[in-house]
Amino acid sequence: GAVVSQHPSWVICKSGTSVKIECRSLDFQATTMFWYRQFPKQSLMLMATSNEGSKATYEQGVEKDKFLINHASLTLSTLTVTSAHPEDSSFYICSARDGSDYEQYFGPGTRLTVT
Amino acid sequence: GQNIDQPTEMTATEGAIVQINCTYQTSGFNGLFWYQQHAGEAPTFLSYNVLDGLEEKGRFSSFLSRSKGYSYLLLKELQMKDSASYLCAVADSNYQLIWGAGTKLIIKP
């Protein structure tokens, strides 16, 4: 149980375009979802926390207008990287938590390359 | 401020035992997690400690001392597949995970 999927697993896009990444909890209801970014050889960096039906809470230094997060249902959250630039190239990982469990269940990650 | 410290890198020999330490200072404490992350993959859950003491799970054990703000992950009978980064994370008073930078473990034959 507690499976989280992400789509796509990797994507290459041109600078200036937008990319949407989906995160789904397959067998539980995710009241809270988290979006992380990880650069090579660095630890996870929390970008934002989203609760179903409400606006995401962004960490300091993360541009909310650039990284649009929608958590419209208890099983789906999306991250849209708008007007992507090469410096946005990174490994994006989502995780999900249900209301009764402290553990975060991670998706497999999405590798974004902006050319 | 909130801070999680763990060694950057460790090397051990196949079949041996290795202990990865983690010290923390956080605003509130609702448990400490250890995750394993292989290169290019997402983290996978290893253990969760919220009370003092040792939790054993197969070849892996995790220890917590809340009074000392200290935890360790003990890996026994090391295998080559254990080569990975090991991430320590603490759930703060808001149940948000504060992450350490990770310890890269290199296993040599």
Side-chain angles (χ1 to χ4, degrees):
Chain A
V3 178
V4 176
S5 69
Q6 265 183 257
H7 178 80
S9 53
W10 60 270
V11 57
I12 301 173
C13 70
K14 291 186 177 181
S15 186
T17 61
S18 295
V19 173
K20 179 185 282 188
I21 302 170
E22 292 186 350
C23 176
R24 293 180 186 273
S25 58
L26 299 184
D27 52 2
F28 67 100
Q29 294 187 325
T31 52
T32 307
M33 285 186 166
F34 305 86
W35 286 96
Y36 294 88
R37 181 167 53 183
Q38 187 175 36
F39 293 106
K41 298 184 180 180
Q42 294 186 24
S43 189
L44 299 172
M45 187 185 77
L46 180 65
M47 299 175 67
T49 302
S50 72
N51 293 297
E52 185 263 339
S54 60
K55 290 184 178 180
T57 302
Y58 289 80
E59 295 299 302
Q60 194 171 12
V62 178
E63 302 173 57
K64 62 179 67 176
D65 293 331
K66 181 172 180 62
F67 298 99
L68 302 178
I69 292 172
N70 185 291
H71 190 169
S73 77
L74 284 171
T75 59
L76 174 65
S77 177
T78 60
L79 167 68
T80 302
V81 183
T82 62
S83 187
H85 292 287
E87 56 265 31
D88 298 324
S89 298
S90 186
F91 191 44
Y92 291 86
I93 309 171
C94 75
S95 69
R97 189 177 74 198
D98 70 23
S100 61
D101 197 341
Y102 301 157
E103 183 181 344
Q104 291 184 23
Y105 302 97
F106 284 86
T110 297
R111 188 161 301 284
L112 170 64
T113 302
V114 184
T115 60
Chain B
Q2 311 209 88
N3 196 48
I4 310 282
D5 284 318
Q6 51 182 132
T8 304
E9 187 173 296
M10 299 181 71
T11 302
T13 305
E14 190 176 15
I17 299 173
V18 70
Q19 177 175 311
I20 303 174
N21 296 325
C22 172
T23 58
Y24 63 89
Q25 289 178 310
T26 57
S27 55
F29 179 83
N30 279 301
L32 186 144
F33 296 82
W34 283 98
Y35 283 85
Q36 180 191 62
Q37 186 178 26
H38 286 99
E41 298 180 11
T44 55
F45 171 81
L46 290 178
S47 67
Y48 172 66
N49 294 66
V50 68
L51 299 176
D52 290 348
L54 186 68
E55 295 274 347
E56 296 184 78
K57 191 185 294 184
R59 294 189 298 116
F60 293 4
S61 302
S62 56
F63 172 83
L64 174 68
S65 169
R66 289 172 296 171
S67 63
K68 295 181 179 178
Y70 167 70
S71 172
Y72 67 72
L73 180 69
L74 190 72
L75 292 77
K76 303 176 184 176
E77 301 169 18
L78 286 170
Q79 301 174 10
M80 297 303 293
K81 66 178 182 179
D82 297 330
S83 292
S85 286
Y86 292 85
L87 307 175
C88 172
V90 172
D92 68 9
S93 55
N94 296 316
Y95 298 103
Q96 183 153 306
L97 288 186
I98 311 299
W99 292 88
T103 298
K104 182 179 180 181
L105 178 62
I106 300 169
I107 309 296
K108 294 186 175 179

